[in-house]
Amino acid sequence: MPDLGVFPEPRSRSRSTSLGGQTGYLVDVANRYLKQQTGLTDEELARGGYEIHTTFDRTKVHRLERAVRRVVARDLDPEKRPADRHVQVGAASVRPSDGALVALYGGPDATTHFTNNADTSGVPVGSAFKPFVLAAALQYGAARQGVGADSHYAADGVLRRADGAPDPDRPTLREALVSGGNATYVRLGKDVGRDTVRRTAVAAGMLRHSMARLEPTFSIGTSTPSAIRVATAYGTFTNDGVRRDPYSVTKVVKDGEPLSGLAPPSSRRALDPQVAQEVADALRTAGKRMGVDVAAGRTGDQDRLRSAWFAGFSKDLSTAVTLFRLRPGEPQLLPLSGVAGKKSERGNVLPPRIWKEYEG
């Protein structure tokens, strides 16, 4: 009878090299989309035999990964700065015209970092959420009064047309979108209705379950959408208010026969064209002030959330980048104070640098 008290040495865990780098994250996103659209199960996919065609652009995927690696290697020094440790990045690029997901960055390597940072939840979006407050105001409130993004929003809740030089104590809605102005958007969200703001953000492409509680700070970004969904929702602005949901699989063939259910998602109108165009124009102003020739939103100095975001779009591409700190095995985000040094604005300069490196 064998000695049951003696066990063989466990084998080291094998890793599929074919899923290394970004490949595993791309496969994960494509498989989940495929299961949602066709009803295929994990077991059926595991048996193989499926020829899967995706929307991913190999060149853009490599360029996005290279952009992240270059900025992280250049600007972070975890050996000398403890604040630079456990920094993580997620990013996604969507084509607004049809919703195709063309690139993502899910982490350093899918075989060692298992969470897909491009499609994760739990990372507050901060002031990158403000454009949806502005859109709600223009769609349901301010637009009916004949005023727009260049209106002053006073403490008494009265919208007034901008008159003369900017007033630092009472910024216009456009100015408050760029830097500071959190109090302006807290009040604007309250007056327009935080439920209306939420409805506007979801209509633009964010998911309902990623929305935070409707507390006063809701309007300045306590919700936790993924980078994929932020890129999608920003794309609605450049697409004249028409939303296209993100998709990653164009065709699947099994035994020579194509599977049904994989037509690109249909479009739907989320915003009036003039509202989308005015928000897009305000974001272009924001982009120029941030030194990028693109419509863009980002987190700022007034945000006290433990994340940094940058989202920008051109006519053909909408890209969102998020940065946060998370120690393995712990659920809470770590502070960003001191990340990349004293002049980094708590890491806020890094997502725009990644975006510029990618788009440049």
Side-chain angles (χ1 to χ4, degrees), residues 173-243:
L173 297 177
R174 186 186 298 263
E175 292 159 356
L177 194 65
V178 181
S179 60
N182 277 2
T184 297
Y185 273 82
V186 168
R187 181 59 187 262
L188 182 62
K190 177 178 180 295
D191 288 351
V192 173
R194 288 187 281 271
D195 57 338
T196 300
V197 173
R198 179 177 62 190
R199 187 167 71 250
T200 302
V202 171
M206 294 189 185
L207 296 177
R208 176 66 175 79
H209 65 73
S210 73
M211 296 290 101
R213 295 175 60 183
L214 300 182
E215 298 174 332
T217 53
F218 172 79
S219 297
I220 51 174
T222 52
S223 295
T224 56
S226 68
I228 292 174
R229 284 292 173 168
V230 171
T232 297
Y234 267 66
T236 298
F237 297 133
T238 192
N239 207 31
D240 289 334
V242 174
R243 162 188 166 183

Side-chain angles (χ1 to χ4, degrees), residues 26 38 54 79 115 144 206 217 225 237 240 248 251 311:
L26 299 171
T38 66
T54 73
E79 295 296 325
T115 301
R144 297 177 182 176
M206 294 189 185
T217 53
F237 297 133
D240 289 334
S248 54
K251 182 174 69 171

Side-chain angles (χ1 to χ4, degrees), residues 9-348:
E9 288 292 324
R11 295 179 180 178
S12 59
R13 181 177 179 179
S14 63
R15 291 173 179 165
S16 173
T17 56
S18 65
L19 296 179
Q22 299 307 301
T23 303
Y25 304 122
L26 299 171
V27 169
D28 174 65
V29 167
N31 281 348
R32 282 192 286 116
Y33 180 80
L34 186 54
K35 288 185 290 184
Q36 289 173 353
Q37 299 301 118
T38 66
L40 283 172
T41 66
D42 288 324
E43 292 75 16
E44 289 171 320
L45 286 172
R47 285 198 292 269
Y50 295 92
E51 180 185 298
I52 302 173
H53 300 252
T54 73
T55 60
F56 305 126
D57 183 314
R58 185 188 301 271
T59 299
K60 288 184 172 61
V61 170
H62 289 166
R63 194 164 66 199
L64 183 56
E65 180 179 26
R66 187 167 60 247
V68 174
R69 292 185 181 277
R70 283 180 176 175
V71 171
V72 167
R74 184 183 65 219
D75 295 342
L76 298 182
D77 190 349
E79 295 296 325
K80 294 182 178 179
R81 275 195 302 263
D84 289 356
R85 297 169 190 166
H86 310 299
V87 170
Q88 298 190 26
V89 175
S93 263
V94 173
R95 193 164 60 216
S97 60
D98 66 351
L101 178 60
V102 299
L104 60 79
Y105 178 85
D109 190 313
T111 63
T112 58
H113 177 84
F114 305 114
T115 301
N116 187 343
N117 291 344
D119 199 24
T120 191
S121 59
V123 182
V125 69
S127 287
F129 189 75
K130 286 180 183 176
F132 304 98
V133 185
L134 177 59
L138 297 174
Q139 181 86 14
Y140 300 104
R144 297 177 182 176
Q145 302 176 34
V147 291
D150 284 318
S151 304
H152 282 302
Y153 194 70
D156 59 5
V158 177
L159 284 159
R160 301 187 179 90
R161 183 66 72 178
D163 183 19
D167 181 351
D169 296 323
R170 191 161 57 90
T172 66
L173 297 177
R174 186 186 298 263
E175 292 159 356
L177 194 65
V178 181
S179 60
N182 277 2
T184 297
Y185 273 82
V186 168
R187 181 59 187 262
L188 182 62
K190 177 178 180 295
D191 288 351
V192 173
R194 288 187 281 271
D195 57 338
T196 300
V197 173
R198 179 177 62 190
R199 187 167 71 250
T200 302
V202 171
M206 294 189 185
L207 296 177
R208 176 66 175 79
H209 65 73
S210 73
M211 296 290 101
R213 295 175 60 183
L214 300 182
E215 298 174 332
T217 53
F218 172 79
S219 297
I220 51 174
T222 52
S223 295
T224 56
S226 68
I228 292 174
R229 284 292 173 168
V230 171
T232 297
Y234 267 66
T236 298
F237 297 133
T238 192
N239 207 31
D240 289 334
V242 174
R243 162 188 166 183
R244 300 298 297 258
D245 281 335
Y247 72 103
S248 54
V249 179
T250 59
K251 182 174 69 171
V252 175
V253 177
K254 171 73 169 176
D255 298 328
E257 294 293 327
L259 271 64
S260 60
L262 291 170
S266 60
S267 63
R268 67 189 75 176
R269 176 155 297 284
L271 298 167
D272 291 342
Q274 62 270 29
V275 169
Q277 291 162 13
E278 185 156 2
V279 175
D281 186 58
L283 286 167
R284 290 187 185 94
T285 300
K288 290 178 181 177
R289 294 188 182 184
M290 287 184 277
V292 293
D293 187 21
V294 71
R298 61 172 284 189
T299 46
D301 290 342
Q302 285 194 350
D303 291 312
R304 294 295 179 262
L305 302 172
R306 298 185 177 190
S307 57
W309 283 82
F310 182 89
F313 61 80
S314 59
K315 180 177 177 57
D316 301 320
L317 208 61
S318 178
T319 303
V321 181
T322 182
L323 179 144
F324 54 95
R325 293 180 68 217
L326 186 64
R327 186 180 289 112
E330 297 184 10
Q332 299 298 322
L333 298 180
L334 299 172
L336 291 180
S337 301
V339 169
K342 295 181 180 178
K343 296 182 179 180
S344 77
E345 302 173 19
R346 298 183 308 107
N348 279 316

